[in-house]
Amino acid sequence: MQYVHGEIFMNSNGLLITGVDRDSIADQLGIQPGDRLVAINDQPVRDILDYRFLCANEELVARVVTGDGEEWEIEIEKDYEEDLGLDFGEHSFGPTRRCRNRCLFCFVDQMAPGMRETLYIKDDDYRLSFWQGNFVTLTNVDEAELQRIIDQRLGPLYISVHTTNPDLRRRMLNNRHAGKIMDQLTRLAEAGIEMQTQVVLCPGINDGKELVRTIEDLSRLWPRVHSLAVVPVGITKFREGLFNLRPFNREEARAVVELIEDYQRKFLARWDYPFVYASDEFYVMAGKPIPPTENYGDFPQTENGVGLARLFLDEWELLKEDLPDRIEHNRTVTLVTGMSGEPFLRQVVEGLNQVAGLQVNLEVVKNTFFGETVTVTGLLTARDIIDSLQGKEIGDLLVLPTVMLRNGEDVFLDDLRVRDVSQQLRVPVAVVEGPRDLVEVALGIKQDTNW
């Protein structure tokens, strides 16, 4: 390794370095936090994706601008894909690409006023689609960026299609660039980029024959278009001045599920892979049982609410075989869920109540914050829970699923914390993730509570 000091060179481009790993290549070269990585092998470093892609080579020429404005050109020899040891912190991507659409069904537009600012941010950044699994529409992706996706193999991508009918997609997204989606997907598929896709289904708009067209069009790009999830439009009570939308009724939801199951049978016979999936919420709305495990392939879209119920029930079936006949000390537990979680959790509660000395109560909480048409558990607020349980006999412990909380934190959508629920209801609270957590907490094996 060697480096050459250059002239003073003021440049605000590149990535700001916030940390350097001890004894790393960068540390040995004297690179420090506050310096800026501008280019590698004469290619600009715009974000963490450029950095990772360009660093994969064994021979590099890196251009760094120090905190004092001095430019360094550094020649580096290293092992293939060995990292330089640089951290860019929150600056890894620079500004997030904002959404340019005005979708008829946008959930952000239906947010309650006065909530934290981050809940109103609309991102549509293909880089975050690759990095974090965010769904994007590709309406703000130009030719150069499409080529970058191909060159850097940025897959899988998670893409909100909604419809493959160009005119309808332009209307649904209120964006004149939205109609070229099939051209974009075809080009990415031909380049070998894997894609997971979704449709937010709106009754009377992109369902029926339009959904058939979308499934047929996207299935022609399999296996590069690896999956298609169909989820129902979410309607909150904060829609004043917005496009007139309504939720699916039971008959309509059953028709959607039956259409998708018909296609699954065809695709399973053709590819041994189901390809298209109705979300768990559609099965609840339709009053139909969750399909067997084989109908979910490799479970490609659990974070989109597809197949979580099946995974939950499969794990429960294994756990219930090892439940004790009784527990030593009598114990009463209350478990909270949203309306869509009731059919699955009811089975678990009934099984746990076969254990002598244990009483598990299921509290199904209606969403008064966003409106009762919002039934998913993850959109319940702390205030919904408190209001629903105030004055009721909760027992020894209140159990909440982790999906209600901000990722990695104990904060609800309304910014109250788990300890706020515990203090206002005057009961210990445990947060659980999955059936095993639930069983261990209910039996008293696991003692992880907020009080």
Side-chain angles (χ1 to χ4, degrees):
M1 298 180 292
Q2 61 177 328
Y3 64 88
V4 180
H5 287 281
E7 301 176 353
I8 299 296
F9 181 80
M10 300 303 295
N11 192 323
S12 61
N13 295 325
L15 278 178
L16 179 66
I17 298 165
T18 59
V20 178
D21 294 341
R22 187 173 181 178
D23 296 328
S24 64
I25 294 173
D27 187 31
Q28 294 172 35
L29 290 168
I31 297 174
Q32 299 179 1
D35 295 345
R36 190 176 291 274
L37 179 63
V38 178
I40 295 176
N41 293 343
D42 291 325
Q43 299 297 312
V45 179
R46 298 160 291 183
D47 52 38
I48 188 69
L49 301 182
D50 280 342
Y51 171 70
R52 292 288 177 86
F53 179 73
L54 295 169
C55 276
N57 296 318
E58 295 178 342
E59 296 183 0
L60 309 178
V61 177
R63 187 151 58 94
V64 174
V65 177
T66 69
D68 296 329
E70 185 176 357
E71 182 184 12
W72 292 1
E73 189 174 88
I74 308 168
E75 296 179 6
I76 302 170
E77 291 185 4
K78 63 178 189 62
D79 293 335
Y80 181 70
E81 291 189 343
E82 181 183 4
D83 190 69
L84 300 183
L86 298 176
D87 185 10
F88 308 102
E90 63 182 18
H91 306 285
S92 294
F93 284 97
T96 300
R97 299 285 299 275
R98 298 298 186 218
C99 181
R100 297 176 183 174
N101 308 314
R102 291 178 291 112
C103 297
L104 304 178
F105 49 84
C106 179
F107 196 83
V108 176
D109 289 344
Q110 305 175 75
M111 279 289 181
M115 302 181 73
R116 60 178 178 267
E117 290 185 8
T118 53
L119 293 176
Y120 303 100
I121 294 175
K122 301 180 185 181
D123 73 77
D124 198 13
D125 196 322
Y126 69 90
R127 302 171 305 168
L128 297 181
S129 180
F130 166 73
W131 197 255
Q132 298 176 350
N134 295 16
F135 276 93
V136 294
T137 65
L138 300 183
T139 55
N140 60 6
V141 173
D142 61 22
E143 171 60 30
E145 290 163 324
L146 200 66
Q147 190 59 48
R148 181 194 183 189
I149 292 171
I150 294 169
D151 292 342
Q152 296 187 0
R153 313 296 300 169
L154 301 183
L157 291 178
Y158 294 78
I159 300 171
S160 292
V161 176
H162 307 313
T163 177
T164 55
N165 178 333
D167 292 334
L168 179 58
R169 193 169 193 261
R170 279 190 284 264
R171 294 198 301 273
M172 290 187 71
L173 275 59
N174 276 304
N175 188 320
R176 62 187 178 88
H177 300 291
K180 56 186 179 182
I181 185 64
M182 279 305 297
D183 291 338
Q184 293 172 312
L185 298 181
T186 300
R187 182 168 172 194
L188 292 173
E190 289 174 348
I193 302 299
E194 181 183 316
M195 293 163 278
Q196 315 286 359
T197 61
Q198 75 162 348
V199 164
V200 174
L201 206 62
C202 305
I205 299 177
N206 60 337
D207 56 350
K209 292 181 179 179
E210 292 295 344
L211 179 58
V212 168
R213 171 176 177 166
T214 299
I215 296 172
E216 293 280 355
D217 285 347
L218 294 179
S219 68
R220 293 188 186 99
L221 299 180
W222 192 84
R224 296 309 179 193
V225 172
H226 184 69
S227 68
L228 169 60
V230 181
V231 302
V233 62
I235 307 289
T236 80
K237 64 184 181 183
F238 302 102
R239 286 199 59 84
E240 185 177 351
L242 299 178
F243 185 85
N244 185 25
L245 283 175
R246 62 172 179 82
F248 283 88
N249 60 40
R250 173 162 290 206
E251 292 72 24
E252 291 168 332
R254 290 183 73 88
V256 171
V257 169
E258 288 166 3
L259 172 67
I260 289 172
E261 289 182 340
D262 283 344
Y263 270 106
Q264 285 184 326
R265 284 187 284 271
K266 295 176 185 176
F267 295 141
L268 281 165
R270 186 186 308 170
W271 303 320
D272 196 28
Y273 191 79
F275 177 70
V276 62
Y277 310 89
S279 69
D280 297 351
E281 191 178 0
F282 255 127
Y283 280 93
V284 174
M285 295 169 69
K288 290 177 69 70
I290 295 295
T293 304
E294 54 265 27
N295 282 45
Y296 288 98
D298 51 358
F299 289 85
Q301 295 206 39
T302 53
E303 292 185 359
N304 204 13
V306 176
L308 279 175
R310 173 42 58 199
L311 290 174
F312 188 96
L313 292 172
D314 286 351
E315 186 176 350
W316 163 246
E317 286 297 316
L318 296 175
L319 290 170
K320 73 178 184 180
E321 300 299 324
D322 296 324
L323 290 177
D325 293 330
R326 63 176 302 108
I327 56 175
E328 185 176 353
H329 302 289
N330 289 351
R331 180 176 174 83
T332 299
V333 172
T334 296
L335 170 64
V336 171
T337 185
M339 295 172 66
S340 63
E342 179 182 13
F344 323 120
L345 286 173
R346 185 69 66 189
Q347 301 177 46
V348 179
V349 168
E350 290 173 357
L352 289 172
N353 283 334
Q354 299 303 309
V355 178
L358 177 63
Q359 176 63 47
V360 180
N361 302 316
L362 184 62
E363 181 71 19
V364 181
V365 177
K366 293 182 178 180
N367 198 321
T368 58
F369 186 87
F370 285 110
E372 294 186 11
T373 55
V374 177
T375 63
V376 293
T377 303
L379 290 177
L380 286 175
T381 64
R383 179 50 54 191
D384 286 327
I385 297 166
I386 293 167
D387 290 346
S388 180
L389 288 168
Q390 201 82 56
K392 294 183 178 179
E393 183 60 43
I394 298 173
D396 302 298
L397 182 68
L398 179 64
V399 180
L400 306 176
T402 189
V403 293
M404 295 177 176
L405 305 175
R406 195 189 308 176
N407 189 31
E409 301 182 43
D410 68 343
V411 181
F412 293 85
L413 278 171
D414 54 0
D415 284 338
L416 292 179
R417 294 182 176 272
V418 174
R419 65 172 176 266
D420 297 320
V421 175
S422 178
Q423 290 169 359
Q424 292 199 41
L425 293 176
R426 303 187 61 79
V427 65
V429 176
V431 178
V432 299
E433 182 175 7
R436 181 171 296 278
D437 249 8
L438 172 56
V439 169
E440 291 180 351
V441 164
L443 295 175
I445 298 170
K446 189 173 183 179
Q447 304 288 338
D448 185 12
T449 60
N450 285 266
W451 178 231

